[in-house]
Amino acid sequence: MFEILQQEVVECRRCPRLREHCTNMATVKRRAYRDWEYWGKPVPGFGDPRARVLILGLAPAAHGANRTGRIFTGDRSGDWLYRALHQTGFASQPHSVSRGDGMQLHDAYITAAAHCAPPDNKPAPEEIRNCRPFLERELDLIQPRVVVALGKIAFDTYLDILKFRGVIQSRAAYRFEHNQHFRIAKGQPILVSSYHPSQQNTSTGKLTEKMLLDVFRKARRLAQNGR
């Protein structure tokens, strides 16, 4: 089932603007990566299909995952994320540089609100809605105990799914703050909110390495303790 879902993600053409941008970035390339054969397509989720922790990001970076074909791989955000995952026991190694580097995730699965690299790192609301069925299917297949939302857009996207499914009435009761957790309802994953490890956040000190480690230490503890 996972292989079918991931192939459907790769072949998706629901958002022409995003597909055009992915292709253009793969053609133009960045000078530092001119020898790379860019992925240039929607990027599927990655990790342990039996994971108790699902990590939800925003979208692939134009010269990161859009280049490498693996979520959060090949850019500074990914450097921060995988280093934290390795230090907290979720990743087999601290660096994720390509699909063939041997990286494995244990008890964690990473996906995104949008699977195509968007211009200016900003997918349109309708593009996120077009991608949401993929996330819903991932949630149903994995049935995680904890969802870690990296950034407010990921946080709101997950809450929108819960609202659409009738689990919650409104997003208003859930305020996005760093390293907060929310017990939504019986039988639902615990939601953990985190600042996104974007360069804007990490270079300004809004998000530090310790802050990110604390998020995944909490996620592991909540996953082990159950709902």
Side-chain angles (χ1 to χ4, degrees), residues 12-25 40 42 58-59 66 114 116-128 130:
C12 179
R13 287 172 170 76
R14 297 175 187 174
C15 303
R17 183 184 82 109
L18 297 188
R19 287 305 306 264
E20 181 180 4
H21 183 67
C22 291
T23 301
N24 287 345
M25 291 299 98
L58 173 55
N66 186 57
C116 290
D120 301 319
N121 293 319
K122 294 179 180 178
E126 62 270 20
E127 291 165 343
I128 292 178
N130 285 345

Side-chain angles (χ1 to χ4, degrees), residues 72-85 94-97 197 212:
F72 274 105
T73 296
D75 59 33
R76 292 186 181 180
S77 295
D79 292 343
W80 275 69
L81 177 61
Y82 284 104
R83 188 163 59 244
L85 292 176
H95 305 293
S96 180
V97 296
L212 193 58

Side-chain angles (χ1 to χ4, degrees), residues 40-214:
K41 300 183 287 288
V43 180
F46 167 69
D48 184 351
R50 297 174 294 178
R52 290 181 295 180
V53 177
L54 183 144
I55 302 162
L56 179 60
L58 173 55
H63 302 285
N66 186 57
R67 170 173 59 90
T68 64
R70 180 195 286 161
I71 199 78
F72 274 105
T73 296
D75 59 33
R76 292 186 181 180
S77 295
D79 292 343
W80 275 69
L81 177 61
Y82 284 104
R83 188 163 59 244
L85 292 176
H86 180 254
Q87 291 185 53
T88 51
F90 289 108
S92 62
Q93 55 197 46
H95 305 293
S96 180
V97 296
S98 72
R99 296 194 308 282
D101 63 7
M103 171 67 77
Q104 293 184 341
L105 296 185
H106 309 293
D107 212 12
Y109 182 89
I110 308 175
T111 188
H115 287 277
C116 290
D120 301 319
N121 293 319
K122 294 179 180 178
E126 62 270 20
E127 291 165 343
I128 292 178
R129 286 194 295 270
N130 285 345
C131 230
R132 199 173 72 184
F134 293 131
L135 175 57
E136 293 191 65
R137 288 167 63 188
E138 287 172 318
L139 289 166
D140 291 341
L141 286 169
I142 296 173
Q143 298 185 2
R145 291 185 177 183
V146 177
V147 171
V148 178
L150 300 177
K152 191 173 187 303
I153 293 178
F155 183 77
D156 288 343
T157 298
Y158 179 67
L159 291 175
D160 280 339
I161 289 175
L162 297 184
K163 183 179 177 183
F164 176 77
R165 293 184 167 188
V167 177
I168 62 174
Q169 296 299 310
S170 169
R171 293 189 336 218
Y174 304 94
R175 180 179 177 182
F176 178 80
E177 294 179 355
H178 181 73
N179 201 20
Q180 297 299 310
H181 70 278
F182 306 86
R183 297 182 184 272
I184 306 292
K186 185 177 180 179
Q188 295 295 324
I190 299 169
L191 174 60
V192 178
S193 53
S194 171
Y195 293 145
H196 191 284
S198 65
Q199 188 174 354
Q200 180 180 359
N201 287 338
T202 57
S203 64
T204 59
K206 183 176 182 178
L207 179 66
T208 66
E209 185 170 355
K210 180 183 181 302
M211 290 168 66
L212 193 58
L213 285 171
D214 286 345

